[in-house]
Amino acid sequence: MGLRERKKAETRAALSWAALRLVVERGLDDVKVEDIAEAAGVSPRTFNNYYSSKGEAIVARHLDRCLGVAEALREGPAEPLWEAIPRAVLPRFAPDAESAAHPVPDAATWTAGVRTMLAEPALQGEMLRAGAIAEAEIAAAVADRTGTDLANDLYPHLVAV
């Protein structure tokens, strides 16, 4: 990844983390795009270059992780699928440098805020959309890996769920 792509990825991640953190702390209705942009150190216009909504920014990290799983399944070594899956999934959901850079001050308060956030009807559509994108990509990767037909075989779809 070149410098420009790395900077874009860093900005995208900073916006996503800021959206997530602010919504967990304040609630969805009490966070504006301007607040997210300010917390990430960019302009609201920059936010809009990366995300179309607060919801999209909030679910972006999870979607990126899931898309990384699909990529790892495609690029991984030739091994049985049930060995490839943990190798593809576990590193993407383990604590990483990005999450270490955004420590949670109080786990109980954070968990309660996340539960409240996830119950927001305004976010549920975005979460379903991201889940459908991730599921389709993982199913395609499983089909590639197993030599099955994505359009006609149920197996890749079942594994992706």
Side-chain angles (χ1 to χ4, degrees):
M1 186 182 294
L3 178 62
R4 185 173 186 194
E5 290 80 20
R6 191 171 62 246
K7 286 288 194 185
K8 284 183 175 184
E10 288 170 1
T11 300
R12 189 172 190 280
L15 287 165
S16 182
W17 273 110
L20 179 61
R21 183 178 47 77
L22 290 172
V23 170
V24 166
E25 289 172 1
R26 301 182 194 170
L28 184 65
D29 293 336
D30 293 331
V31 176
K32 295 180 177 25
V33 166
E34 292 80 5
D35 300 330
I36 298 166
E38 182 180 334
V42 300
S43 70
R45 183 175 176 180
T46 299
F47 175 92
N48 291 321
N49 289 337
Y50 287 88
Y51 299 110
S52 63
S53 68
K54 294 183 288 186
E56 185 180 354
I58 289 165
V59 303
R61 180 164 164 77
H62 181 68
L63 178 58
D64 289 347
R65 286 174 163 183
C66 292
L67 295 177
V69 168
E71 183 180 331
L73 285 172
R74 283 190 177 98
E75 296 175 357
E79 62 187 343
L81 180 62
W82 296 111
E83 292 175 19
I85 289 173
R87 183 194 45 74
V89 173
L90 294 177
R92 276 144 197 90
F93 287 88
D96 57 8
E98 202 171 303
S99 57
H102 301 87
V104 175
D106 175 36
T109 303
W110 179 262
T111 301
V114 168
R115 282 191 179 118
T116 301
M117 178 187 70
L118 293 175
E120 283 284 346
L123 285 179
Q124 290 175 352
E126 191 61 45
M127 288 184 282
L128 288 171
R129 185 187 75 77
I133 291 168
E135 185 178 317
E137 285 298 315
I138 292 170
V142 169
D144 291 346
R145 191 172 185 92
T146 60
T148 53
D149 182 1
L150 186 61
N152 295 314
D153 293 326
L154 188 57
Y155 183 72
H157 299 282
L158 291 172
V159 172
V161 174

